[in-house]
Amino acid sequence: MFIASFATGPWQANCYLLAAGPGSDCVIVDPGMGAVEMLSQGLAEHDLRPVAVAATHGHIDHIGSAREVSRKYRVPVLCPVADRHLLSDPMAGLMAEAAPLLEQFYGSTHLEEPAEVVDVEPDSHHELAGFDLEFMHAPGHTPGCSMIRFVDQEYGPIVMSGDVVFAGSIGRTDLPGSDATVMAHSLAEVVAGLDDASQLLPGHGPATTMAYERQTNPYLQGLG
């Protein structure tokens, strides 16, 4: 298994490359704002062939380069269906003060949707690049927010936790479309149910493990 990551854009969202190994097909997870150059370098360096873009959710810091990447490599964008509107209307998930930043990056606060979008239904499985990717629906940060889980034979369960849970924290619930009550339910019913052996690769910040977060993350205390 091969996983590479780098942070992109003004909000430093993590973009991941997931593949069986160098020289093989890969999935690009959360190509954020300004990700194309670093992404191209990583793909070339490891001789990876993109087969799809996968989004944990629809916020612009995670899908800001999805359309360009989709067009460049002629691959579909898999997006949680409840967040699909954010692909073209990013301000629906942002505070008003973010508008000048989007104008600076894109020349507009409205974007063109990628040519090929696959609607990801809650808790569905998608076979990509040799991986069985489970999109675990965990709304609260956004209506479609998901964690992408798969099991590696050597490393066990791996969860790309997006903006659901971070090392020591959780995703914001004060943005348009977010809901603190729904997030609390997702933490109790979805996140708390993850195996302690799960390695967590968050949408921002460093990697962690479920066992460590269960012990130290204040938002997970008393949830199981």
Side-chain angles (χ1 to χ4, degrees), residues 14-216:
N14 292 330
C15 176
Y16 293 96
L17 301 178
L18 171 62
S24 61
D25 292 346
C26 80
V27 180
I28 300 166
V29 180
D30 286 357
M33 300 170 70
V36 176
E37 183 176 352
M38 292 182 68
L39 184 58
S40 299
Q41 292 174 359
L43 293 171
E45 179 181 352
H46 301 288
D47 189 25
L48 299 173
R49 300 179 299 273
V51 297
V53 169
T56 58
H57 63 295
H59 277 158
I60 191 69
D61 55 330
H62 292 261
I63 57 87
S65 295
R67 180 171 62 89
E68 189 174 352
V69 171
S70 174
R71 182 178 66 244
K72 181 174 182 177
Y73 298 105
R74 298 182 180 179
V75 297
V77 175
L78 282 73
C79 180
V81 63
D83 281 3
R84 181 167 179 168
H85 65 290
L86 296 174
L87 294 174
S88 57
D89 184 15
M91 288 305 301
L94 298 174
M95 298 295 195
E97 54 264 30
L101 181 61
L102 267 63
E103 290 277 4
Q104 178 184 346
F105 257 83
Y106 304 106
S108 173
T109 57
H110 290 273
L111 305 180
E112 183 181 342
E113 187 177 275
E116 184 179 356
V117 178
V118 176
D119 287 331
V120 174
E121 298 295 338
D123 304 317
S124 59
H125 289 252
H126 297 262
E127 297 286 339
L128 297 168
F131 295 92
D132 175 19
L133 302 182
E134 178 187 6
F135 284 72
M136 305 178 69
H137 191 217
H141 180 63
T142 68
C145 218
S146 300
M147 301 187 295
I148 302 175
R149 179 184 182 273
F150 63 96
V151 179
D152 180 76
Q153 212 168 28
E154 181 178 357
Y155 296 101
I158 297 174
V159 180
M160 295 179 172
S161 59
D163 283 7
V164 179
V165 61
F166 308 128
S169 190
I170 60 170
R172 291 176 61 174
T173 58
D174 60 341
L175 297 170
S178 65
D179 189 310
T181 300
V182 173
M183 174 65 95
H185 182 268
S186 291
L187 295 176
E189 299 299 324
V190 183
V191 175
L194 293 174
D195 192 297
D196 275 352
S198 298
Q199 299 188 51
L200 304 184
L201 305 180
H204 300 268
T208 184
T209 67
M210 187 59 201
Y212 186 76
E213 294 308 304
R214 201 185 302 279
Q215 292 177 359
T216 63

